[in-house]
Amino acid sequence: MVAALAASLIDFVAGLKLGATAAEPGNRFLLEGVTIDSRPDGALEIAIQRFEASSLRLEFGPVTLDVGRLVLNKLVGQVRFGLGRPRLCALEAASVELDGVKLKGLLVPARPSGAGLNAPDAQASGTAAGHPVARAGASSWSLAPLAAANGAIRAEIVDAHLLFDANVTVPIRAGVIDFNDATVEHVGPDSRMGISQLGVYVDAPKGRSYLFEFPSPPLAGVQYERREALLGPWVSDRGKLNLQAFGEALGLFSQDTKGAGFTEQARLLLARTALSGDVRLGDARFCAPGVQADLVGRNEGRNGVQLRSKAVGQGITVEMASLSLRHAVLKWNAMQLGCAELTGQLVVRAGLEGTQVRFAFDLENTKLSGLRFDLEQANGALGPPQAP
């Protein structure tokens, strides 16, 4: 009965369709040490020493979440009653174990107004589960881990019209791409990469081609190429790209921004481009619409990013074999999920399906501590849960 109640609460609270994974005959629940008590404010507190679930599938719109195994230890939930039905307003768990987590669907881009964690209506003070709650900010993007990024990105362009068969290497040092160090090797004289006020280019034997065009100069984080003399033909400095500032500036652009993005010529090249890369991110806070987290553990070899793709135009895979986060906050609609610490293995795959982006997230061997799930706004309750 309690298991059935738990399943119905998941359906009711999250507005999801609950089912089983295709590989399993049905979802399963296991509960140990269940206690129920009333609180002075009229809420009902349900405590579960151990909650275990396996073979779960949650569907919401175009997104599907499969969970192979979920274990929550020392789970506490608060339920309130309004309009004749129960409303789950908050969940906390001391620790969580996750395996076989697969999230996939179509990417729905955030609107430029950015009703996310940093939007004015998300401003809050205090802490949840021992970490800062979302606060308002001038920008919904902060890519501070890129400031200390080190590594290299390598590309192999097969039968490229302008570059022939080319091998491209772009080093990243302390969060900066210096195009003077980038190499474009192929049969005959090598080409050079650079960055001008029009965008990122390749100077090939047949002339200059722009791979990525800017909407309008100047753009944050860009040091443009310099020539030896005014309007002279020789480029003395190919320019530099500060990844953090450049990435944050791009994140603020609306998808409707005209004149920005990959050229048609670049799209043809990407369809014939294989990509690989290894980048180590720095310890810093990451913020994007709806998500915030501190990346930690660089000195222990954490948060290394591997990139790979047989054809960039068809899709790309990003793998983090040792993901390590603290003070993570995820907001979806009116629900907010936070945890004090998270470790695990993450694989992200993305590719185009027509004009839309199809994505897939895989999480393995994942452990969380200090989990808190706030649902008050989603359930229309009268106020935040009182401290126990």
Side-chain angles (χ1 to χ4, degrees):
M1 177 178 179
V2 177
L5 174 61
S8 64
L9 283 174
I10 293 176
D11 280 334
F12 172 75
V13 172
L16 309 177
K17 179 181 178 182
L18 178 63
T21 63
E24 297 289 345
N27 50 71
R28 298 189 296 271
F29 298 92
L30 172 66
L31 296 95
E32 297 179 359
V34 180
T35 60
I36 301 177
D37 194 10
S38 59
R39 293 164 52 94
D41 61 359
L44 196 65
E45 184 173 279
I46 302 176
I48 303 173
Q49 190 67 19
R50 178 184 174 88
F51 174 90
E52 183 172 347
S54 58
S55 183
L56 295 179
R57 168 164 291 181
L58 303 175
E59 297 179 1
F60 40 105
V63 179
T64 300
L65 173 64
D66 290 334
V67 180
R69 180 172 176 266
L70 166 66
V71 178
L72 298 97
N73 296 304
K74 297 182 179 179
L75 176 67
V76 178
Q78 294 180 22
V79 178
R80 295 186 180 181
F81 294 87
L83 302 178
R85 56 183 181 178
R87 296 175 181 270
L88 182 62
C89 56
L91 280 173
E92 294 183 9
S95 63
V96 181
E97 301 172 26
L98 284 166
D99 275 309
V101 178
K102 300 181 183 297
L103 179 69
K104 58 185 178 181
L106 294 175
L107 182 64
V108 179
R111 294 182 178 180
S113 59
L117 284 173
N118 292 327
D121 61 351
Q123 184 173 6
S125 61
T127 60
H131 56 77
V133 180
R135 293 179 174 85
S139 167
S140 56
W141 289 89
S142 176
L143 306 179
L146 290 177
N150 288 296
I153 298 175
R154 295 166 292 276
E156 180 181 355
I157 305 175
V158 179
D159 193 26
H161 176 66
L162 293 176
L163 306 178
F164 308 101
D165 291 349
N167 292 312
V168 181
T169 302
V170 181
I172 301 172
R173 299 185 180 95
V176 174
I177 293 177
D178 187 338
F179 286 100
N180 295 291
D181 299 329
T183 61
V184 183
E185 300 175 341
H186 50 73
V187 176
D190 290 342
S191 301
R192 299 297 303 272
M193 292 186 69
I195 189 166
S196 73
Q197 292 192 354
L198 296 180
V200 178
Y201 65 80
V202 173
D203 278 342
K206 293 186 178 181
R208 175 168 292 188
S209 299
Y210 281 90
L211 303 180
F212 186 88
E213 294 181 333
F214 296 153
S216 61
L219 198 68
V222 180
Q223 178 180 313
Y224 298 109
E225 67 173 8
R226 295 198 301 269
R227 297 182 178 271
E228 291 183 348
L230 183 63
L231 300 179
W234 304 108
V235 177
S236 61
D237 190 321
R238 293 284 171 175
K240 296 180 176 65
L241 191 65
N242 183 300
L243 292 178
Q244 178 187 356
F246 181 72
E248 291 172 355
L250 286 183
L252 295 177
F253 289 147
S254 166
Q255 283 201 334
D256 295 331
T257 300
K258 296 182 178 180
F262 292 103
T263 65
E264 184 61 30
Q265 187 178 62
R267 294 180 189 275
L268 294 176
L269 288 177
L270 291 177
R272 299 188 294 264
T273 298
L275 183 71
S276 65
D278 296 278
V279 180
R280 182 76 61 187
L281 301 177
D283 292 345
R285 190 152 185 83
F286 163 82
C287 299
V291 61
Q292 295 184 8
D294 290 327
L295 273 66
V296 296
R298 178 188 175 97
N299 292 337
E300 292 77 37
R302 306 275 186 172
N303 297 322
V305 178
Q306 289 187 323
L307 307 172
R308 61 180 186 273
S309 174
K310 294 181 179 179
V312 177
Q314 298 177 7
I316 188 169
T317 297
V318 180
E319 184 174 355
M320 300 183 71
S322 184
L323 176 66
S324 181
L325 306 176
R326 289 180 184 168
H327 306 157
V329 181
L330 173 67
K331 186 173 182 180
W332 181 65
N333 290 337
M335 294 178 283
Q336 182 167 293
L337 175 68
C339 71
E341 188 172 3
L342 181 152
T343 60
Q345 299 172 355
L346 172 66
V347 178
V348 180
R349 301 177 183 86
L352 288 177
E353 186 176 289
T355 59
Q356 294 181 300
V357 176
R358 179 164 291 279
F359 69 90
F361 290 80
D362 292 353
L363 271 174
E364 297 289 348
N365 302 322
T366 304
K367 296 182 179 180
L368 300 87
S369 64
L371 180 72
R372 180 176 176 86
F373 197 10
D374 291 308
L375 302 158
E376 282 285 350
Q377 294 179 340
N379 284 325
L382 297 177
Q386 302 297 317

